[in-house]
């Protein structure tokens, strides 16, 4: 099952403000990423995955195997 960036954030108990801070961006930028993750630069995607302690692939390249 694919989880959205918002679902991952909530599952890990993080706020949008915490996520923005970990990436060094304004909270409005982070909010936009939750609805359009294709806008995230690779370095910021890596920071998100590290902060949430999940593999980058789990957020941005989910498996289609069920």
């Amino acid at each position: 099952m694919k989880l959205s960036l918002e679902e991952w954030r909530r599952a890990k108990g993080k706020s949008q403000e915490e996520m923005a801070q970990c990436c060094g961006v304004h909270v409005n930028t982070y909010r936009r990423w939750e609805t359009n993750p294709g806008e995230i630069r690779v370095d910021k995607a890596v920071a998100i995955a590290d902060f949430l302690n999940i593999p980058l692939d789990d957020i941005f390249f989910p498996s289609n195997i069920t």
Side-chain angles (χ1 to χ4, degrees):
M1 177 173 85
K2 177 184 174 183
L3 294 181
S4 69
L5 185 53
E6 178 182 6
E7 290 167 327
W8 274 116
R9 175 182 59 78
R10 289 178 184 264
K12 296 293 184 166
K14 303 297 181 186
S15 69
Q16 288 180 329
E17 290 80 9
E18 290 173 302
M19 297 300 296
Q21 187 175 26
C22 93
C23 298
V25 299
H26 192 275
V27 69
N28 289 340
T29 300
Y30 179 79
R31 287 181 184 136
R32 190 174 63 243
W33 291 348
E34 283 196 354
T35 58
N36 190 4
E39 293 182 4
I40 305 172
R41 292 186 346 213
V42 173
D43 62 322
K44 303 299 184 183
V46 169
I48 290 169
D50 288 347
F51 187 68
L52 295 177
N53 195 32
I54 58 176
L56 182 65
D57 291 355
D58 284 1
I59 299 173
F60 300 98
F61 308 106
S63 174
N64 291 330
I65 300 171
T66 56

